[in-house]
């Protein structure tokens, strides 16, 4: 089965062993593809993983630290023109990743995102309330991860309304108008976690809005939320108490693997779609860790073709909670939590070698 075929299949259905066998085949082909089309990547693989093809395990495949995309250009020549350059949403003064996306990869990103979200949203396009300002979309051939996330999710909605104005304040007229038209049937809400809470919920929580028919999809990390003493449980409880909103799904994703979403199940845990997976590694030795142990998250995906982002060592800490227990959320594979960012000084081993240029 090709990678494109895997995007068309129902997700979260493969037992872990079957998923790993499929991914091993697909990722091996992807790494060879990138080695042929991206000389800097080929040099790094040759230097750090000279015997990677001798192993039949996912944990032995070459991986690229996410930080490497911030310090050098990694683009795979595919014979197709770049249609957009995606940049990560870095904080002020910090380098950002720059990801070259051609038409094939853009199409795969869209298919992958649709496949991961279908169990949550179904096949019908729903009216969509976007918890952001339309000004973020801007224009031109270079977009950041925030804009890309909004544009990607907009495909699954209709009658789009932006809930925030240019000053990032609630546009109560727009929100009330949307709910008067669509609030009595299922509708989609999307935004990044901090903005959903700080710019939307904290304004509307006492207005008596009925969001009980809504489905909220949100993501983007919890660091700023934890600083406000708001975790996932508090987030969910507050929305349900104040607005009646019960269908809330966090997701984990990143610019370096745009289109690959690890979506929260009804049990509050994140799950990998069948075309992707995670590995938890020791932050010092980078050895793979068993279920229940906390370490650095490595993400695997069949999606990227125009850049070598199929196997990325992130800067996030996480833990796999269980594997192949569908009774908890009706999903197979690894169920995991993201626990926050890891200090850069704790990522060692191959990361240092990559950062020095191999």
């Amino acid at each position: 089965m090709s990678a494109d075929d895997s995007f068309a299949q129902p997700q979260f259905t493969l037992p872990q062993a079957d998923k790993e066998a499929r991914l091993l085949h697909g990722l091996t082909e992807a790494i060879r593809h990138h080695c042929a089309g991206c000389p800097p990547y080929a040099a790094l693989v040759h230097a750090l993983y000279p015997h990677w093809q001798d192993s039949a395990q996912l944990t032995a495949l070459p991986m690229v630290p996410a930080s490497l995309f911030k310090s050098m250009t990694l683009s795979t020549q595919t014979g197709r023109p770049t249609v957009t350059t995606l940049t990560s949403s870095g904080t002020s003064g910090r380098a950002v990743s720059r990801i070259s996306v051609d038409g094939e990869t853009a199409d795969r990103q869209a298919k992958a995102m649709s496949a991961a979200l279908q169990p949550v949203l179904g096949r019908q396009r729903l009216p969509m309330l976007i918890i952001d300002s339309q000004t973020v979309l801007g224009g031109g051939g270079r977009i950041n991860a925030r804009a890309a996330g909004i544009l990607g999710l907009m495909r699954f909605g209709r009658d789009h309304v932006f809930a925030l104005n240019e000053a990032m304040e609630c546009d109560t007229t727009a929100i009330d108008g949307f709910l008067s038209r669509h609030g009595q049937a299922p509708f989609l809400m999307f935004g990044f976690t901090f903005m959903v809470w700080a710019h939307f919920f904290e304004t509307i929580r006492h207005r008596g809005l009925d969001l009980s028919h809504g489905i909220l999809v949100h993501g983007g990390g919890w660091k700023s939320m934890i600083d406000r003493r708001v975790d996932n449980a508090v987030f969910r409880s507050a929305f349900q108490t104040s607005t009646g909103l019960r269908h809330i799904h966090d997701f984990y994703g990143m610019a370096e693997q745009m289109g690959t979403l690890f979506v929260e199940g009804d049990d509050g845990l994140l799950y990998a779609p069948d075309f992707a997976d995670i590995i938890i590694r020791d932050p010092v030795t980078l050895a793979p860790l068993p279920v229940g142990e906390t370490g650095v998250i490595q993400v695997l995906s069949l999606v990227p073709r125009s850049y070598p982002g199929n196997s990325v060592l992130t800067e996030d800490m996480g833990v796999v909670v269980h594997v192949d227990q569908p009774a908890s959320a009706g999903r197979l594979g690894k169920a995991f939590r993201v626990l926050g960012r890891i200090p850069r000084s704790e990522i060692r081993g191959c990361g240092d070698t990559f950062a020095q240029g191999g």
Side-chain angles (χ1 to χ4, degrees):
M1 179 182 293
S2 70
D4 285 340
D5 291 337
S6 70
F7 304 147
Q9 303 298 313
Q11 299 300 308
F12 313 105
T13 61
L14 282 180
Q16 186 63 27
D18 293 345
K19 174 192 283 192
E20 290 184 7
R22 177 185 293 184
L23 288 177
L24 181 64
H25 174 77
L27 292 173
T28 297
E29 186 279 330
I31 292 167
R32 291 171 179 161
H33 163 77
H34 294 303
C35 282
C38 181
Y41 175 76
L44 295 172
V45 169
H46 177 73
L48 298 177
Y49 300 93
H51 306 295
W52 71 272
Q53 297 187 72
D54 297 339
S55 177
Q57 295 183 347
L58 284 180
T59 53
L61 295 181
M63 57 184 172
V64 175
S67 59
L68 191 63
F69 290 97
K70 297 178 173 66
S71 61
M72 64 184 302
T73 299
L74 292 174
S75 178
T76 302
Q77 298 302 310
T78 63
R80 300 177 178 86
T82 296
V83 296
T84 188
T85 298
L86 177 66
T87 61
S88 60
S89 298
T91 56
S92 178
R94 293 187 61 182
V96 296
S97 297
R98 288 176 172 81
I99 309 299
S100 298
V101 179
D102 66 5
E104 179 190 17
T105 295
D107 182 62
R108 292 160 72 94
Q109 289 172 343
K111 289 178 179 177
M113 188 178 292
S114 177
L117 287 173
Q118 187 173 308
V120 171
L121 302 180
R123 294 182 179 275
Q124 183 179 2
R125 293 176 66 190
L126 300 175
M128 184 173 182
L129 184 66
I130 302 165
I131 315 301
D132 212 316
S133 168
Q134 190 168 1
T135 58
V136 73
L137 299 184
R142 177 172 293 178
I143 59 175
N144 64 24
R146 179 173 151 202
I150 293 171
L151 291 170
L153 267 292
M154 285 178 72
R155 297 188 184 98
F156 307 105
R158 59 180 175 84
D159 301 333
H160 307 93
V161 169
F162 286 81
L164 306 182
N165 59 26
E166 292 184 9
M168 303 307 294
E169 299 168 339
C170 275
D171 185 339
T172 55
T173 300
I175 295 168
D176 291 345
F178 177 89
L179 293 176
S180 69
R181 297 189 301 274
H182 303 297
Q184 299 307 307
F187 62 91
L188 169 62
M189 303 168 64
F190 170 73
F192 292 93
T193 306
F194 176 77
M195 300 178 65
V196 170
W197 182 268
H199 294 271
F200 178 71
F201 179 74
E202 290 188 343
T203 296
I204 61 93
R205 66 187 309 169
H206 300 303
R207 294 190 65 229
L209 295 185
D210 180 6
L211 304 179
S212 59
H213 293 284
I215 302 169
L216 172 62
V217 176
H218 70 100
W222 287 89
K223 183 181 185 302
S224 297
M225 298 292 289
I226 298 304
D227 293 343
R228 290 172 174 246
R229 298 184 180 180
V230 177
D231 60 13
N232 199 1
V234 171
F235 185 94
R236 286 170 162 268
S237 175
F239 260 105
Q240 183 167 353
T241 300
S242 297
T243 70
L245 180 66
R246 302 182 307 278
H247 301 292
I248 301 175
H249 298 273
D250 188 12
F251 70 85
Y252 177 62
M254 62 206 67
E256 293 80 10
Q257 281 191 359
M258 183 59 65
T260 302
L261 299 183
F262 300 85
V263 182
E264 185 179 36
D266 292 335
D267 57 357
L269 298 175
L270 297 163
Y271 287 82
D274 293 342
F275 54 83
D277 206 0
I278 70 161
I279 295 170
I280 304 296
R281 293 186 178 273
D282 183 281
V284 177
T285 68
L286 297 184
L289 297 175
V291 172
E293 292 197 21
T294 298
V296 185
I297 299 174
Q298 175 191 356
V299 287
L300 306 168
S301 173
L302 296 177
V303 174
R305 297 294 287 178
S306 57
Y307 66 97
N310 301 90
S311 176
V312 177
L313 184 68
T314 75
E315 297 173 338
D316 298 317
M317 297 290 286
V319 59
V320 174
V321 178
H322 60 68
V323 181
D324 288 346
Q325 294 187 16
S328 61
R331 301 182 181 198
L332 293 172
K334 293 177 181 175
F336 68 100
R337 289 192 177 96
V338 178
L339 303 177
R341 303 287 279 181
I342 182 171
R344 289 178 181 272
S345 60
E346 292 185 32
I347 299 182
R348 301 172 187 170
C350 74
D352 290 334
T353 308
F354 272 121
Q356 294 167 7

